[in-house]
Amino acid sequence: MTWTSAADYEDIRYELSGDGIAKITIDRPEVRNAFRPETVIELSDAFERAREDTSVGAIILTGEGDKAFCSGGDQRVRGESGYRVGGNAVVGRFHVTDLHVQIRRLPKPVVAMVRGFAIGGGHVLHVICDLTIAADNARFGQTGPRVGSWDGGFGASVLRDLVGTKKAKEIWLLCRQYDAAEALEMGLVNAVVPLAEVEETTVRWCREMLALSPFALRLVKSSFNAQEDGYAGIQQLAHDTNLLLYGSDEAREGRTAFLEKRQPDFSRFPRRP
Ligand code: S0N
């Protein structure tokens, strides 16, 4: 598989397949692809780039190398009130909060390609992605209570949707690690393949989606998120359907009548049963 670099970043890579796939790679293998604030800012920029690029229909999120997808927040720059940009900002925050929402609301499928560890905040990242393809060397787990943190946001609620309440609590309360076969068994990932085949498989899954209606995929994603995300999820789904309405003769009649300063005539449009 040949990828073409399409943007310059320090902590990540942004590459395109040329046939509709963007691949975003956390490129900090020396710390098992842990993210620092700058990494998250770059990830957010790359996801926005992929969203705006109308030639992109599916996005892969992965980590550099075979050892880790991502090991979560970089503990070396964790401060008293979140993570500090540059490692020395006085006031910290959780940059990853907005990234989680961004991935959930991005109207294109995001596929996590997991080699090695998906741990802590790195585990949450794959949980949030729409699909996960795991290499057979993948290992999954939360570490929060071991390092004095936790993610009660999507990292708990979406995880519970995937594996059920008891299992989600076990994952958080015991901080164990689970291998790829266990992850598949509990519904945490979609497929497990040999390490050497994980990219080929992930690309094949993306291409299967690229052959489908992009708008239908958009609605599938927003429909699944609607309940979980409450009013914000319903808003996304509602605005997506409004996009469709705008393209109809019926909606055009309303707009045109306003611009022509006349009463709209909707009489030719069916009142659908
Ligand atoms: C990933 C693990 C299991 C890999 O073990 P392995 O293969 O034995 O390698 P190590 O020798 O342990 O690691 C190699 C080098 O990488 C460094 N390193 C690894 N992980 C991190 C990290 N997260 N931060 C900084 N450095 C890391 C090691 O120190 C080592 O370096 P050298 O060679 O110099 O010694 C294993 O490494 C492991 O368990 N890592 C820690 C996992 C962890 O606890 N992560 C943090 C968990 N918390 C979060 O992620 C919170 C983030 C988050 O998403 C969040 C969500 C909601 C609200 C807030 C937040 C938030 O941002 O806090």
Side-chain angles (χ1 to χ4, degrees), residues 40-51:
V40 178
I41 291 165
E42 289 186 355
L43 284 170
S44 188
D45 188 79
F47 275 110
E48 185 61 18
R49 192 180 290 274
R51 177 183 182 153

Side-chain angles (χ1 to χ4, degrees), residues 135-156:
D136 54 8
N137 76 334
R139 291 189 72 80
F140 301 86
Q142 298 296 160
T143 61
R146 184 173 296 130
V147 292
S149 78
W150 82 302
D151 182 353
F154 294 135

Side-chain angles (χ1 to χ4, degrees), residues 28-35 40 67-68 70-78 82-83 93-97 100 117-125 139 142-144 146-153 155 172 177:
R28 307 184 77 221
E30 68 282 2
V31 284
R32 299 294 186 264
N33 297 317
F35 51 78
V40 178
K67 291 187 174 157
C70 176
S71 62
D74 189 326
Q75 298 302 291
R76 299 171 306 178
V77 295
R78 176 176 147 179
Y83 291 84
R93 70 182 187 87
F94 295 141
H95 298 77
V96 82
T97 306
H100 289 177
F117 291 104
I119 294 286
H123 187 257
V124 176
L125 283 183
R139 291 189 72 80
Q142 298 296 160
T143 61
R146 184 173 296 130
V147 292
S149 78
W150 82 302
D151 182 353
W172 273 104
Q177 287 182 8

